[in-house]
Amino acid sequence: MTRPRDHDALLSAYLDDGMTVLPDRVVDAVLHEVHRTRQRSVVGPWATPSVSRTTLAAAAVVTMLALAGALLLVGGGPRPVPSDQPGPSPQGVVDPSSTPSTSPAAPTASPVTDPAGLWIPTGTMGTPRAGHSAVRLLDGRVLVIGADPSSGITSAELYDPASGTWSATESPSRLASDSSATLLRDGRVLVRVADDTHGANVSAEVYDPTSATWTATGQMVRAADHGGDTATSLADGRVLVAGLNGAQLYDPGTGTWTATGKMNTPRFYHTATLLPDGRVLAAGGYLLGDVQTDVAELYDPNTGSWAAIASMQAPHRDPTATLLRDGTVLVAGWSDNGNERQFAMEVYDPAAGTWNPLPSRPEIGYRTATLLSDGRLLVTGLEGARGSHPPCTAAELYDPGNGSWTMASSMLRCGNGSSFTLLLDDSVLAAGGMDCPPEGGVCVGTDAAVLYVPVGASPPALPAFPNPLPPAFPSPTPIPSAFPPQAGPVPANARAWTVTVGNESSGPATLFLAEDGENGIGELCASVTPHVVAAGATQSVTFLLPPKDVKGCWIWVNPVPGQWGSLFETSDAPLAGQIFIDAGGQAGWSSP
Amino acid sequence: MLRTIVDQARRGDEEAFGALVREVGDRCIFIAHRILRDANLAEDAVQVALVQVWRELPALRDLDRFEAWLHRILVNACYAEARRGRHFATDVVLLETDAPTADDDALLTVHDRDQLDRGFRRLPPDQRAVLVLRYALGLTVPEVADHLGIPLGTAKSRLSYATAAIRAALEADARNAVLDRELLA
């Protein structure tokens, strides 16, 4: 007869078996890494149980200095709500975000290490892809369309950030050469498809995410395609397609195409960027005969015409164009001058109508740039001018606000030919690309995908495991998804604590009193309604402090869920001076 | 002592952090290896976690919370490694071993170990984590919840699901062994 079995004891015995000593090589690797790694910057008088007024004021000043630098470095500061626009197109066009930033400054000599951003693997695609198109849908999923580099067959699939998994969806007809996927204002996606195997004649199809189907739409005015056209979603919902052979507009409401003005300097493989005022900036590219051009011009949708503007400082080969948060456009790329290659960056200021060169690091350039929600650019495809190629897994962060460069952690895999898409949680999906053996040899397309998770961004959900396991798992770290994160009763013996807040920005400022959580704002310190200080107003704000030790309670200014915000540690002592929110939305402290 | 080292390390003292790594490293690999059941993945998870501990230490307010805070970071690193590791297989095929006999007094036979391994490896990493903290570290369920940063109810449900799965694996095997013996009789 079998005895009853003590499963708990068996399990304990089973779990008793395993490694018990951390190998020295791991310790050495950790310490080596630590030596090169900056600690997170946090301002707070740790060793001071009760903070005097003077100390607090000094700490506040230090806070401001840190906020101006360190917290910006780790992704702090108010962030705009991500727009519902797609990420960069293959031409490097990035859709607009809104919040102004400061003027570019001189760059640092060499990049420092990103203090907390991390690349992590996510679900694997069903098909290897490289040089494909990717677009973020309104519901946050990502549609990728493009050929398997080995088979050439067009297919499409969807990435669901909630589960970290991919699923197949209906494919469009044969994708036209260099067609990008353009998100329409109604949530559908427009692509151009080739009508024949040579791709000389094109038509258009739209993808409807609700029915997961592609349908042909309208008769394009100009069916002959040279390749290298751009497709730009305009503010009124229409789409401008422009290239060497002319320009036309697609109206999603009627599903029709109409001709519009040609560029004064017809070109292809240029960049096209929607400006905040609704105009479109076309810059660079190639003229007929594959001649690089530095010519730029603006399209006005109201008149349907193009106007020449100042030329760029230099032509750029395969440039990227990024609309920055201050409304200027950063164009960057390599230029060839005889046998010399030089990477140049310049900014177009629509208000002044001028191009201004940016200092860039000598000999190092990039091929892709993805605008993060904090205003920095995640750049990949790093190249050296004279054969000094960084690993294709390398990525960096460029801050246009202060010109600083930061080394991001390794991408885990090669990023050549990957698509980069900013997700709603501020992480960046890098899908597909070419994997090249480090020792040389044939590069092959990959079905792998990785996520760049900046500090403070919500960690992605775990991908589902095969049955019979549960289909999905909760996120490993609880992060508030809405404000206030919680609301409980007002604690007994709560105390009032008042601070003056001056809001110099053009929008309302929201302030919370909350703990500093592991991934940004934590639980509220007391049951308080968020305080809102109107634009241009200066007023006293009274917080309710809990009866417990107030250490660990911070004032958060304009925080975004899962993000670090501008913050001030509270104290039992009354505050001298006041908090201000500057025109750019950054919080600061002015002492009396 | 540990509190002092943590305090020095969070102020940027690399030497103190080195001492801290040596102090907690063995416990970290103990936990990680039991969750991941793979030495390479476990070492990678510990390395990632300890570097993150260094980065984030200045944000640790309550030094007495260091252990729970460390465990949370480590377990999250294990989750990440589990996602990364292609050989973090959930459908493990083990070689058959002799079934246990009725008079087998050993607490954990080779057969038991194989069956437990089969059942354990089918568990997702979050359920493995609660089992390891509960049965290998001997934490109470509220402590497990605290260390993992999850609600108590979630910890209870994960533990319940995981232990039920393990028991089901063992009992199914026991039933099969009885059936085998009856067929041979």
Side-chain angles (χ1 to χ4, degrees), chain A residues 3 5 7 10 14-15 19 22 25 35 37 39-40 46 115 462-463 469 474 476-477 516 518 554, chain B residues 9 12 14 26 33-34 43 54-55 58-59 61 72 76 83 90 104 107 112 117 122 135 158 167 171:
Chain A
R3 289 170 299 172
R5 315 197 73 196
H7 293 123
L10 286 174
Y14 167 72
L15 291 173
M19 293 175 71
L22 185 64
R25 66 175 181 283
H35 187 64
T37 304
Q39 283 188 308
R40 178 186 150 192
W46 303 121
L462 293 168
L469 301 170
T477 307
D516 188 10
E518 286 190 24
W554 297 68
Chain B
E14 289 186 27
D26 291 349
H33 189 230
R34 277 148 187 81
E43 289 179 9
W54 164 255
R55 283 175 176 155
R61 304 296 172 83
R72 193 178 304 183
N76 283 340
R83 288 195 295 268
T90 55
D104 190 342
L107 177 61
D112 287 335
D117 212 35
R122 287 194 179 116
Y135 290 97
R158 286 185 192 172
R167 285 175 182 169
E171 286 168 359

Side-chain angles (χ1 to χ4, degrees), chain A residues 421-447:
Chain A
T421 310
L422 180 67
L423 305 182
L424 290 176
D425 65 0
D426 291 348
S427 58
V428 175
L429 172 69
M434 299 298 285
D435 268 341
C436 303
E439 66 277 11
V442 179
C443 300
V444 294
T446 178
D447 54 6

Side-chain angles (χ1 to χ4, degrees), chain B residues 43-63:
Chain B
E43 289 179 9
D44 287 350
V46 170
Q47 182 173 337
V48 168
L50 289 175
V51 172
Q52 189 180 355
V53 164
W54 164 255
R55 283 175 176 155
E56 297 295 322
L57 254 181
L60 177 66
R61 304 296 172 83
D62 185 353
L63 296 181

Side-chain angles (χ1 to χ4, degrees), chain A residues 1-3 5-48 113-124 409 412 446-448 455 459-463 465-470 472-478 515-519 551-554 556 564 567 569, chain B residues 7 9-14 17-19 21-22 25-31 33-34 37-40 42-44 46-48 50-61 69 72-73 76 79-80 82-84 86 88 90 100 102-109 112-113 116-118 120-127 131-132 135-136 148-150 154 158 161 163 166-167 170-171 173-174 178 181:
Chain A
M1 178 178 174
T2 304
R3 289 170 299 172
R5 315 197 73 196
D6 184 345
H7 293 123
D8 287 358
L10 286 174
L11 191 54
S12 294
Y14 167 72
L15 291 173
D16 200 36
D17 188 29
M19 293 175 71
T20 56
V21 177
L22 185 64
D24 286 341
R25 66 175 181 283
V26 180
V27 174
D28 293 342
V30 168
L31 298 181
H32 178 73
E33 185 76 12
V34 159
H35 187 64
R36 300 186 299 129
T37 304
R38 289 168 52 143
Q39 283 188 308
R40 178 186 150 192
S41 297
V42 173
V43 178
W46 303 121
T48 313
T113 303
D114 180 21
L118 193 66
W119 290 93
I120 60 172
T122 188
T124 301
S409 56
L412 307 178
T446 178
D447 54 6
V455 61
L462 293 168
F465 280 69
N467 287 330
L469 301 170
F473 306 104
S475 178
T477 307
E515 293 176 353
D516 188 10
E518 286 190 24
N519 289 280
K551 276 194 69 182
C553 288
W554 297 68
W556 296 75
W564 299 106
L567 68 173
E569 190 163 22
Chain B
D7 191 30
R10 78 172 175 178
R11 293 166 188 275
D13 186 336
E14 289 186 27
F17 187 75
V21 166
R22 291 180 181 87
D26 291 349
R27 169 169 280 237
C28 288
I29 197 69
F30 180 95
I31 295 170
H33 189 230
R34 277 148 187 81
R37 311 303 297 183
D38 180 285
N40 291 329
E43 289 179 9
D44 287 350
V46 170
Q47 182 173 337
V48 168
L50 289 175
V51 172
Q52 189 180 355
V53 164
W54 164 255
R55 283 175 176 155
E56 297 295 322
L57 254 181
L60 177 66
R61 304 296 172 83
W69 182 77
R72 193 178 304 183
I73 289 175
N76 283 340
Y79 293 163
R83 288 195 295 268
R84 191 173 71 85
R86 288 188 181 276
F88 183 82
T90 55
D103 58 353
D104 190 342
D105 285 331
L107 177 61
L108 189 65
T109 65
D112 287 335
R113 181 180 308 285
L116 280 164
D117 212 35
R118 202 191 302 265
F120 191 84
R121 287 178 187 271
R122 287 194 179 116
L123 296 176
D126 55 0
Q127 290 176 19
L131 284 182
V132 170
Y135 290 97
L148 294 179
I150 57 178
T154 304
R158 286 185 192 172
Y161 186 95
T163 51
I166 292 288
R167 285 175 182 169
L170 288 169
E171 286 168 359
D173 182 68
V178 170
R181 281 196 294 276

